[in-house]
Amino acid sequence: MKKHKFYFISFTYWFLLLYIVSALVWWFISLEAQNKQMFFYRYEQLRTDDYQYQDKVLALQDARHRKSLQYVGEGLTFLFLIMVGAAYVYRTIRQGFKQADQQQNFMMAITHELKTPIAVSRLNLETLLKRDLSLEQQRKLLENTLSETKRLNTLTSNILTTAQLESGQHALSAKELNLSNILQDQISQFKLRYPQREFSLNLTPELWIKGEQLLLELLISNLLENAVKYAPGLTPITATLENLKGKYAALHIADQGPGIPTTEKARIFDKFYRAGNESTRTTKGTGLGLYLCKRITKEHGGLIQLADNQPNGAIFTIQFPLLKH
């Protein structure tokens, strides 16, 4: 239905544009014909025995030529303005449909992402209430519930932080932070959340930067979550933090998943962007994670880059300016 609507609007748009251009061409032809008629009318009024006859003929020809140039100039100016305006309107229409489609996909994704942890947590709690379970079984259910609430917290933090950063309402509360400790804490949390996954940590200790801890935790969490999401179940995820030339703290998050196609690399940091169709995609997500990573990195004066891992997978690298200690 949406495609039919877009095609109808596009057809109407191009039809009206063609009509306007045709009217402009008709206007030019009519004025040029009128200019020609006026020339011949004035020419016929001249007397051949007038000693200024040749001068007057040349004057009429010059006037006709100047009028023609005026019509051409005005016509080209109007045509240029019409085409510029048409291109702007068409681009706006396309962006409007694209944003509407992205927002619809986002709503479908966010609905699924919110319902899943809520449903799992509710089921676990109902099981605890209705059944007499052993302490080990209770512990597993509670750990699973805690994991789902952390996932829900990350999701809501992504949405809230994105809204605050875009509206300009978030003032960066920067202070000196030990990025090595933040990364180590995040890796420990992910090992608890995903005990079946292998997380490898190569850490340079005591790398201090200036930033906001909650945002940096959200940044690392999103990158790790992205790696968990797209990499095969038993392949390791490697986090590396190194001192780069004594100027930058370089954080690398590498996975051995399918990687990111070259055609999509330029768009993965766009808001709401996710490859494929939301109704058929099996991988969870809202399209905000990597977008938020780029925004947080920019807020901290850093740089985020994407490279291919070998033999397969992706490596996200973030560089933050180091503080001297």
Side-chain angles (χ1 to χ4, degrees), residues 33 112 135 143 211 243 303 311:
H112 175 75
L135 291 177
E143 287 178 349
N243 186 329
L303 175 68

Side-chain angles (χ1 to χ4, degrees), residues 179-206:
L179 185 60
S180 304
N181 290 345
I182 295 176
L183 176 60
Q184 195 168 22
D185 290 343
Q186 288 297 311
I187 291 294
S188 299
Q189 290 184 27
F190 269 77
K191 285 182 177 180
L192 291 175
R193 289 175 60 186
Y194 302 99
Q196 75 282 6
R197 299 302 299 255
E198 179 184 348
F199 292 91
S200 176
L201 178 61
N202 303 313
L203 188 66
T204 300
E206 300 301 317

Side-chain angles (χ1 to χ4, degrees), residues 156-313:
T156 53
S157 296
N158 281 347
I159 299 172
L160 179 60
T161 304
T162 300
Q164 290 176 339
L165 289 176
E166 288 201 327
S167 64
Q169 296 179 358
H170 183 87
L172 190 67
S173 178
K175 59 181 180 179
E176 294 187 4
L177 298 171
N178 189 332
L179 185 60
S180 304
N181 290 345
I182 295 176
L183 176 60
Q184 195 168 22
D185 290 343
Q186 288 297 311
I187 291 294
S188 299
Q189 290 184 27
F190 269 77
K191 285 182 177 180
L192 291 175
R193 289 175 60 186
Y194 302 99
Q196 75 282 6
R197 299 302 299 255
E198 179 184 348
F199 292 91
S200 176
L201 178 61
N202 303 313
L203 188 66
T204 300
E206 300 301 317
L207 292 184
W208 291 78
I209 67 171
K210 192 172 184 179
E212 184 172 331
Q213 182 160 342
L214 288 177
L215 290 184
L216 292 173
E217 289 175 349
L218 189 59
L219 166 65
I220 296 172
S221 175
N222 278 328
L223 290 177
L224 291 173
E225 192 74 50
N226 189 71
V228 170
K229 205 181 297 179
Y230 290 100
L234 299 178
T235 57
I237 295 169
T238 304
T240 304
L241 183 63
E242 61 178 344
N243 186 329
L244 190 62
K245 299 178 180 180
K247 296 181 178 180
Y248 302 98
L251 170 63
H252 312 276
I253 304 294
D255 64 64
Q256 297 180 16
I260 299 174
T262 304
T263 55
E264 297 185 7
K265 286 181 179 177
R267 302 183 60 191
I268 59 170
F269 294 109
D270 293 347
K271 184 171 64 172
F272 299 140
Y273 180 75
R274 298 188 72 214
N277 188 285
E278 195 66 45
S279 60
T280 59
R281 188 185 294 112
T282 57
T283 307
K284 300 174 182 178
T286 61
L288 287 180
L290 292 179
Y291 167 78
L292 190 56
C293 288
K294 184 176 181 179
R295 287 298 301 262
I296 293 174
T297 302
K298 185 177 179 181
E299 288 287 319
H300 287 77
L303 175 68
I304 185 169
Q305 295 175 313
L306 168 65
D308 293 328
N309 198 7
Q310 298 299 330
N312 55 277

